[in-house]
Amino acid sequence: MARPWVLAGPLLIMIIAAPFVRPLFQPGVASDREIVALQSVRAVLRSGTLAINPRAAPAGETIRSDGLCFAKDPPVYLLALAGVAWLIERAGCTFEHNPHLLEYLLIFFAITLPTAVASALLYRVARVFGLRRPMRLALALSCVLATGWISYAVVLLPHAMAAALLAGTVFGFVQVVLSERPKLAIGWLFISGVCAAGAAVIEPLAIFALLVLPMAVFKLPLKWGWRINAAIVLLLGMAGPVALHASINPHITGDLMPPRWHVANAAPAPIVAPQTLGDDSEPVDPTIWFHLARAINRVLTFTIGSHGLLSHFPVLLLGIVGAGIVVHRHWTPALKWLAGGGLAVLVLLLAYKSVVRIDSIDLNFAAPRLLIASPLIMIWAGAWLRRPHSGFVWTLAGIALGVSVIISLVGATAPAPPGGYQHYTVAEAFVRLAQTPQQLNVASR
């Protein structure tokens, strides 16, 4: 009986996302990061290496190592794309004969499909709130369609894939929490570990979630001996993706630090507009007040400003309130730690973004590096939904949801345009909708 409800979410998301996948919606308009990713995938398939031709690669998205040129994206992410591309080529669609179709299929199967499947996992996670099936489906769809996740499920960037893996992490953990015999269910934590570590090696900022998860495991309704066993199972799951990263990354950077974090060795990055995220190109004032003001400015930018989560997706406030309800009310300790962990990940991401030097990624639609935390926050809106509210409150919540969905879909039309966004991203995205592909190509030059 429940199967149609589980399948409804993925089918709806794929139907919505399919027309927006960039090679179809905006043919020939790719960001530098996507171009380099495609070149890396082709290099793996043709020569068995991640090294690409530096003359054909945009300099701002590459890193040099031992005379070779590599993409800044994590190598495990690029290898995952190459694996999907290999399957597509085995089906008869190759880079040489139909590159545009291959690119479309690569994005759809490597990025869009995992996002759709993740909605089904979140539908199952929503069981913890005791909601009816239609409400659980609406909550799962909101996690994808109202948080900007759908915006990045149509381009060749790692954010949506990492978010899908974190959804798998929460799913595995909740399976143990909901089990009537949790001792026999701790095997699900192996899946959680694989997904959590996979997200971290694909999107390095997901490492914050990787650090929070083990603490929640020790709050499971088990005796201490079984909790230790559960932690071991979780760590065993994490070991695979971490080992894969450790076997590849040092050949590029010389250590375990992902290529994008090696700023000193990277090729020159494109100029970042100072009016968007704070002027890093101006002479640095050595006073602490200057650095404090710049950090506050960036936090505001990524919360309520031109790239803000709440300014783009106000429905996330319900998720924050719901997480607060779980933390402060009579819920199981494991769920309290999981909800508190989601809030902690968001705070840590904002703290990180307030102190690091900005780059071209920060000029994309909304706040892509905070995307991994958005679904982890939104799912806790289920705790708010199960409470009674007045008609006025439900109306405000519906407006916030509608605005968030519309903005997310507008973002899906051009989440990472060449050159990025220089002002409020929703307004610029609306303007881009009225432009022809020829105008977009001219503007990107």
Side-chain angles (χ1 to χ4, degrees):
M1 292 295 293
R3 188 169 299 172
W5 291 102
V6 174
L7 297 177
L11 289 175
L12 182 59
I13 288 171
M14 287 189 288
I15 290 172
I16 293 173
F20 288 108
V21 176
R22 187 192 48 73
L24 178 63
F25 191 82
Q26 289 188 320
V29 182
S31 63
D32 289 349
R33 192 175 183 184
E34 291 181 278
I35 293 172
V36 173
L38 282 171
Q39 292 176 346
S40 300
V41 169
R42 186 167 184 172
V44 172
L45 295 181
R46 297 294 176 267
S47 58
T49 177
L50 286 169
I52 59 178
N53 181 2
R55 297 179 181 178
E61 289 298 326
T62 59
I63 183 172
R64 301 296 180 90
S65 177
D66 295 330
L68 299 176
C69 181
F70 297 93
K72 282 185 181 179
D73 278 327
V76 174
Y77 165 67
L78 299 173
L79 287 180
L81 294 181
V84 176
W86 182 84
L87 293 174
I88 295 172
E89 287 204 332
R90 297 288 77 74
C93 181
T94 65
F95 275 105
E96 290 75 17
H97 294 94
N98 205 333
H100 298 296
L101 179 58
L102 186 142
E103 184 180 0
Y104 178 92
L105 295 175
L106 177 59
I107 295 174
F108 186 84
F109 286 110
I111 309 296
T112 308
L113 183 59
T115 299
V117 172
S119 70
L121 301 182
L122 292 175
Y123 170 85
R124 302 292 292 178
V125 169
R127 290 184 301 159
V128 300
F129 305 114
L131 301 172
R132 294 181 178 180
R133 288 168 182 167
M135 192 64 76
R136 281 157 48 190
L137 176 61
L139 179 59
L141 288 173
S142 298
C143 289
V144 178
L145 299 177
T147 63
W149 191 353
I150 190 68
S151 305
Y152 285 92
V154 296
V155 288
L156 202 61
L157 299 178
H159 314 302
M161 184 187 293
L165 286 169
L166 288 181
T169 301
V170 175
F171 169 76
F173 186 87
V174 169
Q175 290 295 106
V176 181
V177 173
L178 294 179
S179 176
E180 296 180 356
R181 305 177 68 181
K183 293 180 182 179
L184 300 180
I186 60 174
W188 283 105
L189 294 176
F190 183 85
I191 303 298
S192 288
V194 171
C195 291
V201 298
I202 286 173
E203 171 53 72
L205 290 186
I207 193 172
F208 293 130
L210 194 68
L211 298 176
V212 167
L213 187 61
M215 294 186 288
V217 169
F218 279 101
K219 291 296 180 178
L220 287 170
L222 299 168
K223 293 183 179 180
W224 269 103
W226 281 99
R227 292 182 188 180
I228 294 174
N229 290 339
I232 292 174
V233 171
L234 179 72
L235 293 175
L236 288 175
M238 292 179 178
V242 172
L244 181 60
H245 174 80
S247 66
I248 304 171
N249 200 80
H251 297 289
I252 299 174
T253 66
D255 54 32
L256 295 179
M257 189 177 295
R260 191 169 294 278
W261 289 6
H262 278 259
V263 179
N265 298 329
I271 297 175
V272 177
Q275 69 270 29
T276 304
L277 296 171
D279 191 356
D280 280 348
S281 62
E282 293 291 329
V284 177
D285 187 330
T287 65
I288 189 174
W289 300 111
F290 174 85
H291 296 290
L292 180 61
R294 188 168 63 178
I296 293 174
N297 174 62
R298 290 180 177 176
V299 171
L300 293 176
T301 298
F302 287 115
T303 52
I304 60 175
S306 58
H307 289 259
L309 279 181
L310 299 181
S311 59
H312 287 74
F313 319 115
V315 76
L316 283 174
L317 286 172
L318 299 183
I320 294 174
V321 171
I325 291 172
V326 173
V327 170
H328 290 96
R329 298 299 177 183
H330 301 291
W331 293 74
T332 63
L335 290 178
K336 285 186 176 183
W337 275 83
L338 197 61
L343 293 174
V345 169
L346 180 59
V347 172
L348 289 171
L349 287 173
L350 287 172
Y352 174 84
K353 294 306 299 174
S354 72
V355 298
V356 299
R357 186 176 179 85
I358 57 180
D359 60 28
S360 58
I361 299 175
D362 296 315
L363 294 178
N364 289 343
F365 180 79
R369 283 179 163 177
L370 302 184
L371 172 66
I372 57 175
S374 299
L376 298 181
I377 296 298
M378 187 62 205
I379 191 64
W380 299 108
W384 181 89
L385 289 172
R386 61 180 288 164
R387 290 189 162 195
H389 303 284
S390 67
F392 178 72
V393 172
W394 281 112
T395 300
L396 290 179
I399 292 173
L401 176 61
V403 169
S404 301
V405 170
I406 291 172
I407 290 177
S408 294
L409 294 178
V410 170
T413 63
Y421 291 99
Q422 307 302 319
H423 301 285
Y424 187 62
T425 62
V426 179
E428 285 194 50
F430 270 115
V431 172
R432 293 180 66 88
L433 278 173
Q435 294 178 324
T436 65
Q438 291 75 18
Q439 291 174 317
L440 292 175
N441 283 324
V442 171
S444 65
R445 294 194 183 103

